[in-house]
């Protein structure tokens, strides 16, 4: 693991997600750019001190120098955004598989480079767009693919939070601090941090890509250097209309990621804060609420679940689904099977989307947004 | 009553709303442009045949010719949109108070003429933006005015329906037929029919007007002549950000009007399909759900309620609040009191908003939307 | 109308419910045992003073003495419980149809006498178990009758309120005062006032009667003279298990009437505070939520609705359904049709149930509860 | 681990719960009474074959014979009910700490013996009443203890499932098969399997014990040998009224465990299927919905949470809280601190409750239910 030292949030999530199914063992880490903090975290996690590194460069080198059956197999990159590219590049070049947080990189060029490196090395590269790993999101995708909604007409996706309603980055809060700094967060805050999840969720469930977009970005909290609220109007493949709302200043919203898809024959509605449910709506308004664990669910949903219905699964379990699917891809045991996790190409699409939205906002008009990333890694 | 003959929907609602509190008696009508249908409806309602008219013109004349204590006091205009202006104008000119359905008129000029006529005659003129008459909408407004949300930062208002997901207007459905015809519905379908309610609700609760807007209108169902889906981005007074979504093709949505207001200190959320509730949200996500009939509600909400909490009130009761408030204004008994109903000026603002949105869409860019209508009628 | 003077709650509900559809006109009343209050209410309602009476006896006599086409057709009895019997009896003997609040009477003998009088006079007699008049309750009944739930196995019905969590009757609150007085409320408070609604709702939806019961009554608030909380275990026809919970001291509950029916093939769930919905549940937990106005609903539900889906209907509309159905029965126009309102026999069954529950509690054991009331009135 | 072989459900839950926080390592097991199945499970879990045992007796002996720093520290007992006692007894006698599934034993005598053995050996003994480990249940308890509800007046607790609506035990379903067999499940099915969770949840949140009870047990599905539905009326300490409903034949219910507590000043409501929420209700019906992760929560709730609000936690996380708390007790590092997990005494209380309910049902009347178990183990 690179990143995930003291004060980090997502590193611990990655560790719990990897531990849940007993398919991973944490063996090495460069947990912080501060060597003493890295050592502190490594110690707390019970690692062999010889495999707790001062920097990601030394870790890539050090692990690569170990005998093949002793070195790490895969690295988790859980640093601030600007380090995703150099860290992932180092490990790819050293021949390791990668799990990387989103957004993949801060520029499209960097993202494309990672695609090429993964493809060249035939390495697995997953981007933790973890929300698509919820069983009922997989069910939603299966229902759309099966044609249950008819032709898709309108999509509304929203990802709203309220935790940045004050200038938290000025108060020393670590999570807010780097997210509000363009040199580390990149060209965007709200869009990059959470809007990219919404964009990926929309793509995953509908199978549609964005053709054109119009974006309106706003910085609501005085003193902030990046946008903290954005609305993006989308023209999707085939003319399907889309609206993406994202915000970090929507006071009181905890982690409100919701997707609604309206088709000619039915609609669906999924909300991350009640992830075990999927709502389908018939033209006359009759609702069918499917629950994780139900007997009529798709193979995709059923195989992503661990407990019977009524025994709630949550964020960690979904995150663990990414890790479990990646483990299977790395082992390659089920040859010929396509594994279900977000790839480096999905990551590149997300980076491209963020950049086109920023450009639309600057120009005040619609912009083209069609894009095809280079081929990516093993799957 | 003018309009409200066989096959109409809203006419019956007006009649039930007026009857509920015993403050109105239906005494005359021109229920259809087809005299036999008008007579049929008048008969079914038990009216004196001499006061069931063949046309609104004859009704305005006929009633004006009766002795003051026998003639009608106020007329309800429940026709298709294009007739609102000529009908209302006729009755205003004959000295009658008016309750008129929305959108007020099909042009801004017509709307302004009605403002001037009402003002000149010191007549009461209400527009049935009925959704602002729900008690918990009044509570929302009171809380915003009292500063409980802090400064307002973002508003999301949505009014989605799915009933026009097919080309219903080609199948002879009366409600769909005139709404899809530009010569009767006006320049807009979704925005005019329901978007204008969303716009009025936003204005009522927040007290904010639109300064600039960007609109994206779409016609999703092939063969339709007006837009059936629209998203409008709003810049409100003081820079508050707004998003208005409206749709008639959102399959499965019945009558989904929902308003969320995010302030610096708290947020509120009201949904028309559960009208007796108002949700307030604190920065840490703790929700407070206020219910109609609660002991801590504002005078505005309490005086708009008829039943104790837990005894659901609905659409007709809210509609009846408009009628009850208008009755009090007509009687003028509580002199000095400002009555709480949507006025002809609110109606003119709605018409202006629709037209600016259409213009933004045609131009593909932001347009100014500031507007002040002429003075209106008695209140 | 008899009762419904100053300070009353249910009288105004009856008046609004009767007014809604334009099928009733209020022409006479004895609104209070205090003649000046009766006159005051009559005046406020705009009645002819000659038809505002000092007592129900004088009203029955006075109206009976009018020519048939001038006298009232039907009387609404909205007094405290102990007066239901003498008032209803007077009007039945004078040949008038009756709408009476629940519980019907304070003794089984009195209830049976009213059955016989209504039957003898071929008069319509409705008891305002208003909750069974909600469209989605009618839908629930239709689904059960159609066998969608399979054989019925368990029923849980709950009616909880919290308004008597303090000794409100000692504070001069009129509604609490008579309900807490055994000489007026009868042998029971919670069971009589609201438990009887729960019992009737269970009967209406399932079609099952109680064979045996065990009741546990409690008086939670010190100083109260009747029970304010009760649980009744039921053995229903065919061995179906039932639980009835009722309470007036469940702090924070507004008007929580909820029915769940579990069958061998599916379950249903209806809650009065969201009356436009009916939840059906499949064995694997998949929920189907039907909404009033949906296209697949039964004739019974559809004919009891006034507005399209998404336009909420509430308590008054359901109450008005009782009045509308009674009006049709009185007019007899649709001969051969069975009208759908709760009858004097339903009222008698409710009174019997209350008394058996009180006896079970006193004895501390199960008691037989099978019962068939005498034939009732016209329908 | 003892039990948890092929086809088992709860064994895997225990393993994931123990793995989540990295505080446990699975080192030995007797996973099935069938040696080949035990070996198969041990192999799949990557255990050293020398520590995969044919029987729990051999495991207890074998592990005890290892050097202290190599043997297991604590055993998880996840067998069918009738084996809880002999297995736990063996390991206690061998000096090991124990985590045991519920119900603790099939007789009160056996439960008391385990209490004494744990006390004698100063061993930690936890019973996985896992539902009390949810953060918002801890919050509920904290609020009750702080007096926010005033004096407690009524408690309604329900645990309903529908999975046994058919005679599943006759179809070879392993989970159903032993639960329906009195020689393995004990004197009760619904009460023992899930009603005991409801009873423990009530005790944990309210701090109240049962003084008297009346139980009505029913066997709804023909051919079943134990009850599959039960209602128990409770008199709690100080006269608080309680109702406990439990069922395995409530078609469509997945895992519906819900607790409502009504106090003199407020009420609370928690439902296991939405475990991150806690609803508080004021006398006027105003609801406050607290969410896990909120800033105003108690230390007990906050320390039991791993993720920020809006990132759902579920069943496994709550289960893991038991394991984490037990680990801390075993290590004893935080001396003087009372650890928050259900003890062997809580288990004994549950067994006693089940037995008294069965006796009440047999006698058809109320029975005394006061009980104090012997002192238990280390905490």
């Amino acid at each position: 693991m690179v990143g995930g030292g003291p004060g980090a949030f997502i590193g611990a999530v990655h560790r719990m997600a990897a531990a849940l199914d007993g398919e991973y063992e944490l063996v090495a880490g460069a947990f912080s750019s501060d060597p003493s903090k890295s050592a502190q975290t490594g110690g707390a996690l019970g690692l062999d001190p010889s495999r707790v590194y001062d920097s990601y460069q030394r870790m890539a080198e050090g692990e690569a120098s170990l005998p093949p059956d002793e070195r790490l197999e895969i690295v988790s990159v859980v640093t601030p955004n600007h380090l995703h590219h150099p860290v992932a590049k180092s490990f790819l070049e050293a021949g390791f598989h990668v799990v990387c947080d989103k957004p993949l990189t801060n520029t499209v060029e960097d993202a494309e480079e990672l695609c090429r490196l993964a493809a060249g090395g035939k390495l697995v590269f997953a981007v933790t767009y973890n929300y698509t790993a919820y069983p009922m999101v997989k069910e939603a995708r299966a229902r759309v693919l099966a044609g249950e909604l008819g032709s898709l007409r309108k999509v509304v996706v929203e990802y709203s939070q309220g935790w940045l309603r004050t200038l938290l980055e000025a108060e020393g809060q670590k999570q807010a601090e780097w997210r509000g700094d363009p040199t580390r967060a990149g060209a965007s805050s709200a869009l990059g941090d959470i809007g990219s999840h919404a964009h990926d969720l929309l793509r995953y469930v509908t199978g549609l890509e964005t053709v054109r977009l119009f974006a309106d970005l706003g910085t609501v909290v005085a003193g902030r250097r990046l946008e903290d609220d954005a609305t993006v109007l989308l023209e999707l493949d085939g003319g399907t209309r889309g609206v993406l709302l994202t915000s970090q200043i929507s006071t009181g919203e905890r982690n409100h990621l919701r997707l609604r898809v309206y088709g000619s024959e039915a609609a669906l509605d999924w909300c991350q804060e009640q992830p075990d449910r999927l709502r389908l709506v018939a033209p006359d308004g009759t609702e069918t609420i499917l629950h994780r664990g139900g007997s009529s669910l798709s193979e995709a949903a059923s195989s992503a679940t661990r407990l019977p219905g009524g025994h709630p699964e949550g964020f960690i379990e979904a995150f663990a689904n990414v890790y479990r699917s990646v483990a299977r891809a790395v082992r390659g045991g089920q040859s010929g099977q396509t594994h279900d996790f977000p790839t480096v190409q999905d990551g590149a699409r997300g980076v491209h989307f963020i950049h086109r939205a920023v450009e639309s906002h600057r120009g005040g008009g619609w912009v083209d947004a069609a894009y095809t990333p280079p081929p990516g890694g093993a799957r």
Side-chain angles (χ1 to χ4, degrees), chain A:
Chain A
M1 173 169 284
V2 178
F9 155 56
I10 204 69
V13 170
H14 281 253
R15 289 192 293 262
M16 289 188 280
L20 191 68
D21 297 304
E23 307 215 30
Y24 290 83
E25 190 183 354
L26 182 63
V27 294
F31 299 105
S32 170
S33 53
D34 175 335
S36 71
K37 287 184 178 168
S38 185
Q40 172 196 339
T41 299
L45 294 169
L47 293 199
D48 176 345
S50 73
R51 297 179 77 181
V52 179
Y53 299 89
D54 285 2
S55 72
Y56 69 86
Q57 295 94 335
R58 291 200 189 142
M59 178 171 160
E61 287 164 24
E63 292 292 320
S65 70
L66 293 174
D69 61 339
E70 292 180 22
R71 69 174 68 140
L72 62 75
E73 289 181 89
I74 183 164
V75 67
S76 293
V77 184
V78 298
T79 64
N81 300 347
H82 67 299
L83 293 172
H84 290 175
H85 172 256
V87 174
K89 182 178 175 183
S90 297
F91 282 86
L92 287 173
E93 289 176 342
F96 295 109
H97 303 293
V98 176
V99 173
C100 182
D101 229 77
K102 45 43 51 190
L104 177 59
T105 59
N106 282 355
T107 71
V108 174
E109 293 67 31
D110 285 352
E112 296 186 345
E113 185 180 19
L114 296 181
C115 290
R116 284 188 291 264
L117 287 168
K122 295 187 180 165
L123 294 164
V124 171
F125 194 121
V127 178
T128 46
Y129 285 131
N130 52 292
Y131 295 110
T132 59
Y134 276 110
M136 299 314 280
V137 170
K138 297 184 185 297
E139 182 68 22
R141 175 179 163 86
R143 300 260 170 174
V144 169
L145 291 179
E148 287 193 25
L149 272 62
S151 60
L152 304 189
R153 286 162 160 201
K154 184 174 184 181
V155 184
V156 182
V157 64
E158 174 177 352
Y159 195 161
S160 295
Q161 298 179 334
W163 71 297
L164 291 179
R165 77 183 174 94
T166 60
L167 197 63
L168 211 56
E169 55 267 52
E171 299 168 22
Q173 209 270 11
K174 182 177 169 176
Q175 298 300 321
E177 197 265 335
W178 71 257
R179 280 178 173 81
D181 174 4
T183 65
R184 284 175 285 172
S188 159
S189 176
L191 274 173
D193 197 38
I194 57 175
S196 59
H197 275 299
H199 173 251
D200 185 70
L201 176 64
L202 179 160
R203 293 179 53 240
Y204 182 79
V205 171
T206 66
L208 301 177
E209 301 292 348
T210 301
V211 175
R212 287 198 317 144
L213 64 80
F214 176 91
D216 177 43
L217 279 56
T219 302
V220 168
V221 173
R224 184 155 288 153
R225 296 158 68 193
L226 290 168
E227 100 285 1
D228 51 20
D229 189 83
T231 309
V232 190
L233 308 184
L234 308 172
E235 181 188 321
L236 301 169
D237 288 334
T240 300
R241 293 170 63 81
V243 184
L244 184 154
L245 300 100
T246 191
S247 181
Q248 294 169 317
I249 54 82
S250 289
T251 301
E253 297 289 5
R254 294 174 298 277
N255 200 34
H256 184 62
L257 171 60
R258 182 184 179 195
L259 174 71
R260 288 179 285 165
V261 182
Y262 298 100
S264 57
E265 307 307 321
L268 67 77
D269 180 8
W270 178 81
C271 186
Q272 191 269 156
E273 297 187 79
Q274 294 190 293
D276 276 351
R277 300 159 43 112
L278 176 65
R279 201 169 69 100
L280 301 175
V281 195
D284 78 339
T286 300
E287 300 171 78
T288 301
I289 300 178
L290 301 171
H291 293 266
R292 188 185 49 71
S295 59
S296 65
L297 301 192
S298 62
E299 170 59 21
S302 296
S303 65
T305 186
R306 289 168 182 78
L307 299 175
H311 298 72
E313 292 188 0
F315 185 88
I316 293 172
E317 288 82 348
F319 221 105
N321 284 340
V322 175
Y323 270 92
R324 190 165 62 178
S325 192
V326 166
R328 291 172 185 166
V330 166
R331 290 187 190 133
Q334 296 149 296
S335 68
Q337 187 179 341
T338 298
H339 299 287
D340 182 14
F341 59 83
T343 67
V344 66
Q345 291 175 297
D346 293 318
R349 285 188 182 276
V351 174
H352 181 266
F353 175 77
I354 295 165
H355 282 268
R356 293 306 288 162
V358 170
E359 285 158 36
S360 166
H361 176 70
R362 288 186 182 145
W366 289 85
V367 297
D368 286 335
Y371 174 63
T372 304
R379 189 152 198 185

